[in-house]
Amino acid sequence: MVNKKDLTGKKFGRLTVLEELSERSNKRIVWKCKCACGNTVNVKGIYLTTGQTTSCGCAKRKLEQKHLREAYNKKRIDGVAKQLFKGQEPRKDSSTGYRGVSKYYTRKSKELRYRAWITVKGKRYYKSGFLTPEDAYYNGRLVLEKEHLPERGFYKNEK
Ligand SMILES: [Zn+2]
């Protein structure tokens, strides 16, 4: 082996090299590594030194979970919430395109946000902080309707 480096004890990302294995992969040295999560993996030295492999795969899995969660959240708005409120599609009669949804800017950072509101018996209720008018409608306005318009069926036992 030319350029043989002893990587024992070295750390690469979440991996700590434990020992050199006797087996070779395409003539490359394979190292037994312990990941910070507790898993043990065998990684080619070249992958370690070039930074290609920095965990047993758990870091990647975490990222995938994050993406899954984001996709789920998006779906929750696009799919589930819509499904839940089927037949209550927004009337396009306001500036945002959604009934009971208005734009505003956050006080400090001046970011565009959407606020859902409803007026019941002269009292106005709000839900704020939505990133899209659609989100404000399905997760704000329609929720407000359920909370404050009992005749629409959510709190049937309420007087
Ligand atoms: Zn790991």
Side-chain angles (χ1 to χ4, degrees):
M1 273 299 143
V2 197
N3 274 337
K4 188 185 160 185
K5 279 183 206 149
D6 187 11
L7 301 181
T8 310
K10 291 230 160 63
K11 292 196 81 173
F12 298 93
R14 292 168 65 82
L15 298 174
T16 306
V17 181
L18 296 177
E19 58 179 344
E20 181 186 337
L21 297 180
S22 52
E23 66 186 71
R24 293 286 179 270
S25 171
N26 295 327
K27 292 182 183 169
R28 301 280 188 186
I29 303 172
V30 179
W31 300 87
K32 188 177 175 184
C33 304
K34 192 166 172 69
C35 183
C37 72
N39 280 341
T40 308
V41 275
N42 301 332
V43 186
K44 273 193 244 180
I46 186 86
Y47 289 164
L48 291 170
T49 51
T50 56
Q52 248 177 290
T53 304
T54 54
S55 82
C56 71
C58 59
K60 198 170 161 235
R61 276 198 301 277
K62 246 188 183 163
L63 204 68
E64 276 164 8
Q65 271 169 11
K66 188 172 168 261
H67 290 158
L68 269 178
R69 209 167 36 240
E70 282 166 4
Y72 171 79
N73 282 339
K74 196 173 178 301
K75 214 168 147 200
R76 182 174 59 88
I77 298 165
D78 291 348
V80 181
K82 268 190 199 165
Q83 202 59 34
L84 195 64
F85 297 112
K86 223 175 170 180
Q88 293 187 53
E89 275 74 27
R91 286 207 316 263
K92 307 267 178 183
D93 62 355
S94 77
S95 60
T96 56
Y98 292 90
R99 174 171 41 103
V101 174
S102 39
K103 284 195 260 204
Y104 71 100
Y105 291 89
T106 55
R107 226 169 284 167
K108 273 184 189 162
S109 48
K110 305 288 173 216
E111 283 171 277
L112 180 62
R113 289 288 186 277
Y114 295 89
R115 167 187 293 141
W117 53 267
I118 195 168
T119 308
V120 182
K121 291 175 191 154
K123 196 165 190 278
R124 200 166 257 217
Y125 302 91
Y126 295 98
K127 279 187 191 292
S128 307
F130 298 99
L131 291 173
T132 65
E134 190 180 41
D135 193 17
Y137 182 76
Y138 286 102
N139 294 304
R141 167 70 191 208
L142 292 184
V143 173
L144 285 169
E145 286 184 10
K146 285 195 165 185
E147 286 173 3
H148 300 290
L149 298 174
E151 66 269 26
R152 293 194 77 141
F154 201 55
Y155 298 116
K156 275 206 173 101
N157 299 324
E158 209 173 82
K159 233 190 153 183

